Amino acid sequence: MQLLTRIAATVLLAAAPLTAATAASADPVDDSAYGTPLVAVSGAGVNWHPTTGLASLKAQPGLTQAGFAAVMNSANHPMRACDGTEAAGLPIKPAATVSWCWDSGDAATTTWIPQSLTTSGDADDDGTWGAYKAILAGWNFCNSGECGANPRNNDARVAFIDYTDPSAPKYRWVYLVAPTDGTTNANATSYANNTFGPAKAHMGGMAWYGDKLYVSATGANSTGIRVFSMAEILQVNDSASAIGRTAAGYAAYGYQYVMPEVGFYSYASGTCSMSTDSGVPCFASISLDRSTSPDTLTAVEYFSNPALHGRVYRYNLGGPDFLLAANAAGYTPAAQAFRTRVGNMQGVLSWNGTWYVSHSWPDENGELWALTTSSGKSHTCANPYSSAYECWAMHPESLTYDYATGLVWSLTEWTKDQCATETATPLACGRAIFAFPRTSLPS
């Protein structure tokens, strides 16, 4: 989530009475309260808005249909083993059994921020997509609060990581695009003018289900989830620093591949607010749950005020073409909704009735909680600078479960330089993706 939001959250929390103080860096809240059981609340439905005109767009000179294999075969960024500083930000418990770090440029940029993961283990029962074992990582272009006003604020891109050889993963960037009607409208639903703009999305969560890629959108609007398709990847012919139609054809800020949006889900109850709990959801992260029948899409909220404890939601899949199950008007109700007592939630995972939510602190390890309607648990660990519950990664983001391998994956977002300079006490951490067995989750 956004750095400034987190810093503001720390200030708000610092104004509260200290409880359960520990060591030199005391938590400003009683984080044992995060283990409060889930409480059922009213759900909130979503509406489907399909995109039209994609066939016409794809027929334009300058755009070429590109298969998933073409993207994977062109992977040009090798991942690398994490150095000691980066590895220091990995979870204390459960300990990572696999970890990788990004190439030097992506490890250091503060313009682009890693937010989410999903895998081909989500997409298909056999754990592969075609001939490839793949991990997708969603990144967003920083927002105006983080790095000033820029037309590219909240643009989105996805790292397609070829993990077929787990000893040598490598990745290729794909830009996410959406219809544009020539205005600032981020929710146009037709490619009628045969061009596109950036798909605005925070990318706090992703779920790959069949050919569909679900991504969480930006907060403070009515759009909750944007949807893309592995069957709809286009190669552009123009490397210009522009997006959409150009004099030479089509460009995407120098990126070779784009994924055009095939539709989006809006909140049926209106526009969400990340600063007040209006009752309209504000999806911060999403993931897939294959332990339910039917399979379900889960979502979690993030509020800029950590005193507002977010909700978790569940929506039934099973609609045509790997979409949510909906009525004739495209409406999908929430199958479940619960209130948590956790603030600053970053990721969500559900399995066999237990909800796992990840939480972040700006200057300490995060926390990972297992919640049901009867209990709440977290691992405890011997960390001399934080509470017993802060065993999770430093600056953690989303969660995803690879059903084919039994591994839970997550990632961290701060660069080494941010860790060293943007807190009162320098931290040793950096950007990594990592995994561990599902059986190591708190229980």
Side-chain angles (χ1 to χ4, degrees), residues 156-171:
R157 66 179 186 177
V158 176
F160 280 55
I161 305 170
D162 183 353
Y163 205 68
T164 311
D165 177 359
S167 68
K170 53 188 177 180
Y171 60 100

Side-chain angles (χ1 to χ4, degrees), residues 238 263 382:
D238 188 352

Side-chain angles (χ1 to χ4, degrees), residues 322-415:
F322 302 104
L323 295 174
L324 298 180
N327 65 17
Y331 173 77
T332 301
Q336 282 183 322
F338 297 100
R339 173 75 67 182
T340 79
R341 285 292 302 276
V342 184
N344 289 5
M345 289 191 288
Q346 304 288 358
V348 62
L349 187 70
S350 175
W351 181 258
N352 281 345
T354 298
W355 294 77
Y356 302 92
V357 295
S358 62
H359 159 278
S360 67
W361 293 107
D363 57 352
E364 297 171 0
N365 284 74
E367 303 178 21
L368 183 63
W369 289 88
L371 304 174
T372 68
T373 55
S374 59
S375 68
K377 298 178 181 178
S378 178
H379 285 310
T380 57
C381 55
N383 184 345
Y385 303 109
S386 61
S387 86
Y389 303 106
E390 289 166 12
C391 310
W392 191 227
M394 197 75 73
H395 310 125
E397 287 295 325
S398 77
L399 298 162
T400 191
Y401 178 45
D402 185 332
Y403 302 85
T405 64
L407 292 177
V408 174
W409 286 87
S410 188
L411 75 170
T412 55
E413 72 167 338
W414 280 26
T415 68

Side-chain angles (χ1 to χ4, degrees), residues 86-109:
E86 292 162 325
L90 293 172
I92 299 168
K93 187 177 182 179
T97 56
V98 179
S99 62
W100 291 98
C101 284
W102 307 94
D103 76 5
S104 59
D106 293 324
T109 179

